[in-house]
Amino acid sequence: MEEQRGKARPTVHMIGNAHLDPVWLWQWQEGFAETKATFRSALDRMKEFPEFIFTCAGAASYKWIEDNDPAMFAEITNRVAEGRWVIAGGWWVQPDCNLPSGESFARHSLYGQRYFLEKFGKAAKVGYNVDSFGHHAMMPQLLKLSGMEHYVFMRPDKREKELPADLFLWEGADGSRVTAYRIPGGYNTHQSQPASPKIAEALEQAGHTGTDAMCFYGVGNHGGGPTIANIHEIRAMQHEHGKDAITFSSPDAFFDKALPGRHELPVVTGDMQHHASGCYSAHSETKLLNRKAEQRLLTAEKLSVAAHCLLGHRYETDFLRQAWETIMFNQFHDIMGGCCIREAYEDAREGYGHALYLGGVVQNGALQRISWAVDTMREGIGYLDKNQERTLWEQHDLGVPVVVFNPHSWSVTAPVVVTQQMKGATDESGKALSIQHVRASRTNGGDKYDTLFMAEVPAYGYRLYWIYRNKSHEAATVDQVAATETSLENELVHLAFDKRSGGISRLLDKRSGVDLINGIGGHPIVIDESECDTWGHNMLSFRKETGRFGEARLSVAESGPLRATLRTTSVYGQSTMRQDFTIYAGSPVVHVKVKLDWREKHNMLKLAFPLALEQPAATYEIPYGYLERPVNGEEEPAQRWVDVSGLTEQGKRAGLALLNDGKYAFDVLDSELRMTAARGAIYADHYGERDEWCEYMDQGVQEFRYALVPHEGDWRAAGVVREAAVLNQPLLHVVETYHKGSLPPVLEGVRVSVSNVAVEAVKLGEDEDGYMVRCRETDGRAAEATIECHWLNRTWTAKFGCSEIKTFKLPFDLELEVSEVNLLELQ
């Protein structure tokens, strides 16, 4: 083969690997065993073939070996030092690269890369997700901040997304760039097939493009790795074409060779989609548990830092680490993508339960340590024992203290419900608050109501409130919300409901005079997916409608001074959906609590919101960022919110944001927004032979929440990012007793000088010599922010570019300055 265009002869880099799915058509225990067998095989090949190089990603697999076979782990350590066992993909597993939160990706880097540094003295240089089902647009920045300058992936393939070349520069919204390579020809070789045709194809491609190529070989998915036959084939082709044309190599070596010509590569922006669009919604339970666990751990960490700093409370590093490792494992692309066998999801449920429990223990311990330190003493009770205190409380009703905590970096006004029926409430200064009795889940005699009040709590802080069983307090407010059997209304919005479907027939934003709904909003629509497999392979959209829920029953569930709720229940076939639509006084946000009993097979359920907007634009939250996508009806992944904005008939700019607490699949066609709520797909069905023994997912009862935010302007003006965060991380409270304490009744923990910079995570540093504060720019506008962490006695200023993520280290030693570190907490 002659030299091309005056350049050196291109090389095919043979990448020996074994794509190990720890869970897929098998459970994790079998994946564990196969990982050991595959690693043993790779080590044996190294003894037999001195030129053989093996590449392997995923810290979780290495930890399995370390814990279960220390002798084998020692062999691997030696081979890593030798340079023949190459570490790639510095994450805990090869996760789904659309659905985990931005902070989850940060933790994959933190725990994965630090594991590699600790055990092998080196971190991965190449991001490596060869089988994940798409890749979000914030990946370049997250990779760069993790010490990875390069990225290897395979999906979407050439049929699914056109790229200018397999090797290119991938640029994120903040301007970060990584060198990315799309694997041609797949990430493995089949045990029953020779590797030589694949190698020949790679040679042809390299000759055509004049650039080096990677050719991945080794039995994969269920493990196995490169075979003796594979290596003999490579040797034979080296003999025919030369070792400079075909070489045993690694992704590291490939990118090192490509670096000198990096500036000549084409630049690609945006995300890498679409592959397996059905995986954005398959198996609702796992996706809901993932969101819940992520958010709980973030809140638990913030509370733990507060309690640790203020009161010396123990920061439960081990509990939190265990919980994050469990979450990260369950974010493996086949588990998170919903395409595993049913038994695998029983294991995932146990894993998420473990993480949620550990997070709950940490969260509660820190919260109660703080609330116990708040001074709640009142005059005249300091000398009383507990029985006397109760008698005095019952006779004179001095009030019950309630400490409410806000985990967000901005002040939040939101409902608090205490599990007692009270007659009054005040803030710490004695100002009377409106209350409302709301139905509880208990029916214990006549006591079946709780008490609702609205709390206004400072940023990353707390406020003390008082509730009274027998003493009423006249608040200045009057009834501002109302409900009838077909409407909800407050001073900001008016909703009308369709009697037949139970959906929203009108959503009037009184501030602008805009009626946003053009049809029926929140109407459950049934989509036929009988010709679709679990993954949704080759499916870009799901719009083959077979029916809609109807026969609705509407009833007023609540109507009071603080909130009103209209319950609508509709049916389709054997399925029932109950939606509780709630509005609060002084807020335009419509909160919806859904209870779905889904019994349909080979059908998908979507909630539709047709909007009265022209020239619509759809914006989707992605991990630690956002992305505008075409309004072409294609199924798209999103995190906590999606917004559609456009022009009204009057030429005003307006829109509607849809928030959620555990759904990830949406589509927008023209001005209609839809959210996928459930799927009746078969478990792990790739167009196999379907029979009566097949089992279907999402069957039975599930509950979730969503919210609608009508607004003028675009999503930024409506504070959608903050609304979605509060929906997913609500206020927390502790009903306390009387006690002295070192803490005041109100405390603000943080203050950020600009609204478009948010504090996303606060944790103890891994080196335990300071705290870590992770912030991001949320609106796509460069900003200079002054951040005051009052609890940590720190103030600093930083510049943020568009969608930029920054991590700050706050040393315990106040003589040391705040410094910026990467996601590994290293400078």
Side-chain angles (χ1 to χ4, degrees):
M1 190 179 297
E2 297 180 357
E3 290 187 356
Q4 307 264 334
R5 305 183 185 93
K7 296 182 180 179
R9 184 182 184 186
T11 301
V12 172
H13 296 251
M14 299 303 302
I15 312 299
N17 80 111
H19 179 61
L20 283 161
D21 287 328
V23 181
W24 181 30
L25 306 180
W26 46 85
Q27 293 174 263
W28 67 265
Q29 297 89 340
E30 186 173 337
F32 192 122
E34 189 54 42
T35 298
K36 289 194 296 182
T38 298
F39 282 17
R40 180 70 268 156
S41 175
L43 290 167
D44 291 344
R45 299 295 80 76
M46 288 182 179
K47 294 176 182 177
E48 299 158 354
F49 301 96
E51 71 271 46
F52 172 63
I53 297 171
F54 184 67
T55 297
C56 184
S61 294
Y62 289 86
K63 191 171 187 297
W64 277 350
I65 304 301
E66 181 190 17
D67 293 343
N68 199 253
D69 192 339
M72 189 194 300
F73 190 76
E75 283 187 72
I76 293 170
T77 302
N78 290 334
R79 293 302 190 184
V80 171
E82 184 185 3
R84 293 177 60 201
W85 186 298
V86 178
I87 296 165
W91 290 351
W92 199 246
V93 294
Q94 294 186 52
D96 181 280
C97 290
N98 282 313
L99 309 185
S101 68
E103 188 58 28
S104 283
F105 283 102
R107 299 312 170 94
H108 276 279
S109 297
L110 174 67
Y111 297 127
Q113 289 283 56
R114 286 185 75 105
Y115 178 85
F116 291 139
L117 285 167
E118 177 187 347
K119 304 302 178 181
F120 305 116
K122 61 177 66 176
K125 297 193 300 183
V126 177
Y128 186 101
N129 287 288
V130 299
D131 194 29
S132 300
F133 308 148
H135 311 264
H136 67 83
M138 291 295 290
M139 291 276 283
Q141 184 179 179
L142 289 165
L143 289 164
K144 292 272 286 190
L145 290 172
S146 306
M148 290 180 276
E149 297 283 341
H150 316 292
Y151 192 57
V152 175
F153 68 102
M154 189 183 74
R155 313 180 192 280
D157 62 27
K158 292 182 179 180
R159 298 167 301 167
E160 296 163 330
K161 184 177 181 66
E162 184 177 346
L163 292 172
D166 287 332
L167 180 63
F168 59 94
L169 293 177
W170 188 13
E171 182 175 284
D174 70 315
S176 295
R177 288 183 175 182
V178 294
T179 314
Y181 185 80
R182 178 165 67 182
I183 302 168
Y187 53 73
N188 63 3
T189 49
H190 297 286
Q191 193 165 9
S192 59
Q193 297 175 350
S196 51
K198 185 176 182 180
I199 302 171
E201 184 179 342
L203 275 170
E204 183 180 354
Q205 177 189 340
H208 176 70
T209 62
T211 58
D212 286 9
M214 281 195 276
C215 181
F216 282 63
Y217 72 99
V219 179
N221 293 338
H222 200 252
T227 64
I228 294 173
N230 290 158
I231 298 172
H232 281 307
E233 285 181 276
I234 296 169
R235 281 181 166 183
M237 295 195 75
Q238 282 181 323
H239 181 73
E240 179 182 355
H241 297 277
K243 290 185 178 181
D244 59 340
I246 302 171
T247 183
F248 289 91
S249 189
S250 69
D252 290 22
F254 169 83
F255 284 112
D256 284 346
K257 191 175 178 185
L259 277 179
R262 191 172 186 262
H263 64 280
E264 300 176 2
L265 296 176
V267 178
V268 177
T269 59
D271 55 6
M272 300 293 159
Q273 314 292 1
H274 295 90
H275 180 85
S277 298
C279 287
Y280 310 152
S281 55
H283 207 268
S284 294
E285 180 189 27
T286 299
K287 291 173 168 57
L288 182 68
L289 288 173
N290 177 73
R291 179 77 62 78
K292 186 176 181 180
E294 289 174 330
Q295 302 300 309
R296 178 169 295 177
L297 290 190
L298 290 175
T299 299
E301 288 174 341
K302 291 175 183 176
L303 282 162
S304 293
V305 165
H308 182 267
C309 180
L310 290 172
L311 304 163
H313 180 68
R314 179 180 176 182
Y315 188 94
E316 298 287 355
T317 301
D318 291 342
F319 277 13
L320 291 166
R321 176 67 180 262
Q322 287 180 47
W324 274 116
E325 287 183 4
T326 305
I327 291 171
M328 291 185 298
F329 183 82
N330 279 337
Q331 289 172 341
F332 181 73
H333 55 267
D334 287 320
I335 303 174
M336 190 82 268
C339 53
C340 293
I341 58 174
R342 179 185 57 80
E343 295 86 348
Y345 289 106
E346 295 175 0
D347 295 334
R349 183 184 303 119
E350 291 177 355
Y352 279 120
H354 176 65
L356 284 163
Y357 176 75
L358 290 177
V361 168
V362 174
Q363 176 176 282
N364 179 68
L367 181 64
Q368 297 222 27
R369 182 66 183 270
I370 294 170
S371 68
W372 192 252
V374 175
D375 192 339
T376 60
M377 291 298 290
R378 288 197 156 183
E379 185 179 352
I381 63 173
Y383 61 90
L384 300 175
D385 63 25
K386 193 67 179 176
N387 291 329
Q388 291 173 314
E389 178 183 306
R390 177 167 293 278
T391 299
L392 186 64
W393 173 72
E394 290 175 348
Q395 291 177 349
H396 301 284
D397 198 1
L398 298 179
V400 177
V402 180
V403 180
V404 184
F405 190 89
N406 169 20
H408 302 285
S409 58
W410 56 88
S411 176
V412 171
T413 300
V416 172
V417 176
V418 294
T419 54
Q420 299 179 52
Q421 187 171 339
M422 296 290 168
K423 286 190 175 180
T426 69
D427 65 12
E428 82 289 352
S429 69
K431 179 184 176 182
L433 305 176
S434 292
I435 65 168
Q436 182 174 332
H437 293 150
V438 295
R439 184 66 163 85
S441 58
R442 64 185 178 276
T443 53
N444 185 14
D447 181 19
K448 58 183 181 181
Y449 288 95
D450 291 335
T451 302
L452 165 73
F453 65 91
M454 299 299 292
E456 183 178 352
V457 188
Y460 190 22
Y462 66 80
R463 174 169 250 128
L464 175 64
Y465 289 88
W466 293 89
I467 53 176
Y468 302 85
R469 184 179 296 277
N470 301 311
K471 186 186 297 183
S472 298
H473 290 76
E474 294 295 327
T477 58
V478 295
D479 289 4
Q480 299 178 72
V481 286
T484 71
E485 289 190 354
T486 57
S487 69
L488 289 171
E489 187 168 10
N490 65 15
E491 65 272 34
L492 300 178
V493 291
H494 171 81
L495 289 86
F497 291 83
D498 177 62
K499 289 184 177 181
R500 184 176 180 277
S501 67
I504 303 170
S505 59
R506 190 181 190 198
L507 175 50
L508 175 65
D509 187 340
K510 294 182 178 181
R511 298 165 299 178
S512 62
V514 173
D515 189 354
L516 283 166
I517 297 296
N518 181 27
I520 303 296
H523 196 177
I525 299 175
V526 182
I527 304 295
D528 176 18
E529 56 169 339
S530 59
E531 298 179 2
C532 173
D533 69 352
T534 310
W535 289 257
H537 282 124
N538 305 314
M539 300 288 292
L540 292 178
S541 62
F542 300 91
R543 285 193 160 260
K544 188 178 179 181
E545 184 176 327
T546 61
R548 300 192 174 206
F549 278 60
E551 302 178 28
R553 302 190 308 274
L554 285 69
S555 61
V556 176
E558 298 173 333
S559 184
L562 296 179
R563 77 180 185 194
T565 300
L566 182 67
R567 171 169 291 180
T568 74
T569 305
S570 55
V571 298
Y572 174 88
Q574 301 300 309
S575 301
T576 304
M577 174 175 272
R578 188 182 78 196
Q579 299 191 75
D580 290 348
F581 294 88
T582 299
I583 58 173
Y584 290 87
S587 172
V589 181
V590 182
H591 295 267
V592 190
K593 181 180 179 181
V594 179
K595 185 172 185 178
L596 169 66
D597 188 355
W598 183 242
R599 303 288 173 177
E600 311 308 313
K601 299 175 180 179
H602 292 306
N603 282 298
M604 173 185 284
L605 179 64
K606 283 180 172 284
L607 291 175
F609 298 88
L611 304 177
L613 297 172
E614 299 292 334
Q615 302 177 31
T619 306
Y620 298 74
E621 185 187 39
I622 62 175
Y624 271 166
Y626 65 90
L627 188 66
E628 188 174 318
R629 295 182 172 124
V631 291
N632 57 9
E634 291 184 356
E635 195 86 344
E636 302 283 5
Q639 297 274 308
R640 298 169 299 181
W641 60 268
V642 177
D643 179 82
V644 178
S645 297
L647 297 177
T648 67
E649 287 185 356
Q650 298 79 23
K652 295 181 179 180
R653 185 77 178 170
L656 183 74
L658 172 60
L659 324 179
N660 74 89
D661 73 347
K663 299 300 178 184
Y664 293 90
F666 305 82
D667 75 86
V668 181
L669 180 60
D670 297 329
S671 59
E672 184 184 55
L673 166 62
R674 292 184 176 185
M675 175 173 69
T676 304
R679 290 188 64 197
I682 297 172
Y683 283 94
D685 169 34
H686 188 33
Y687 301 111
E689 182 180 349
R690 296 168 175 174
D691 56 29
E692 69 273 17
W693 300 102
C694 291
E695 297 199 53
Y696 297 80
M697 62 180 63
D698 281 6
Q699 302 297 292
V701 175
Q702 61 167 290
E703 297 185 32
F704 61 93
R705 295 175 184 268
Y706 69 91
L708 305 174
V709 184
H711 60 80
E712 295 183 88
D714 67 3
W715 55 271
R716 297 172 180 85
V720 166
V721 172
R722 291 184 171 188
E723 291 286 356
V726 174
L727 177 68
N728 282 268
Q729 286 179 269
L731 300 181
L732 301 169
H733 72 273
V734 175
V735 177
E736 269 295 349
T737 185
Y738 304 124
H739 47 68
K740 292 183 178 180
S742 60
L743 297 181
V746 183
L747 192 59
E748 179 184 64
V750 70
R751 182 172 294 178
V752 183
S753 64
V754 294
S755 62
N756 61 319
V757 170
V759 176
E760 295 284 356
V762 184
K763 64 184 288 292
L764 183 68
E766 296 299 299
D767 295 329
E768 299 190 355
D769 59 352
Y771 302 108
M772 297 294 160
V773 177
R774 186 138 39 245
C775 305
R776 71 179 177 105
E777 194 285 313
T778 60
D779 293 359
R781 295 180 288 110
E784 182 172 275
T786 297
I787 303 163
E788 302 173 61
C789 281
H790 302 150
W791 289 358
L792 309 181
N793 196 25
R794 292 285 195 171
T795 300
W796 70 99
T797 299
K799 292 182 179 181
F800 289 79
C802 168
S803 299
E804 188 173 10
I805 305 161
K806 285 183 179 286
T807 306
F808 302 100
K809 179 177 180 179
L810 283 59
F812 292 153
D813 185 349
L814 296 180
E815 297 297 319
L816 299 177
E817 293 184 356
V818 174
S819 62
E820 187 176 344
V821 295
N822 63 15
L823 294 180
L824 312 187
E825 302 180 0
L826 302 172
Q827 289 182 318

